[in-house]
Amino acid sequence: MRSQAEWKRIHEELAKELNAFDLEILAIKDGSLPLESAKELQLQHAQRLKMLESRIQRSATAEHDRHQAKR
C-alpha cells in the first residue's frame, strides 16, 4: 500500500505544479506577470519537475524490485 500512497502524492504534486504553470502562462498573456518574473518562475518549475521525475524513477524502480522479489 505504501506504493499507492507514494504514487498518489506524486500525482498530486505534479497536478499542483502543472496548475501553477498554467496560471502563470495566463498571467503572462494578460500582462499581469512581467516576463523577467516569469523566467525565474519557469526555472523553479523546471527544478521541481526534475525532482518529481527523480521520485517517479525511484518509485518505479522500487515497485519493480518488489515485484521481482515476489517471484
Side-chain angles (χ1 to χ4, degrees):
M1 289 303 159
R2 188 192 86 180
S3 177
Q4 288 178 342
E6 176 65 12
W7 285 115
K8 182 178 179 181
R9 282 190 300 275
I10 289 171
H11 181 267
E12 289 169 351
E13 288 178 41
L14 184 57
K16 180 180 171 184
E17 195 65 37
L18 292 174
N19 186 48
F21 181 77
D22 286 344
L23 292 174
E24 289 163 13
I25 295 296
L26 293 173
I28 292 167
K29 285 181 178 181
D30 74 11
S32 62
L33 180 62
L35 195 53
E36 282 305 312
S37 298
K39 288 178 184 178
E40 179 60 33
L41 289 171
Q42 296 310 307
L43 288 174
Q44 292 172 13
H45 283 300
Q47 291 171 340
R48 287 191 296 267
L49 288 172
K50 268 297 199 198
M51 290 184 336
L52 278 171
E53 179 184 28
S54 293
R55 283 181 58 197
I56 289 168
Q57 289 174 345
R58 284 192 310 271
S59 292
T61 299
E63 191 170 317
H64 178 264
D65 291 347
R66 281 192 298 275
H67 285 297
Q68 292 293 11
K70 288 180 182 178
R71 290 182 183 199

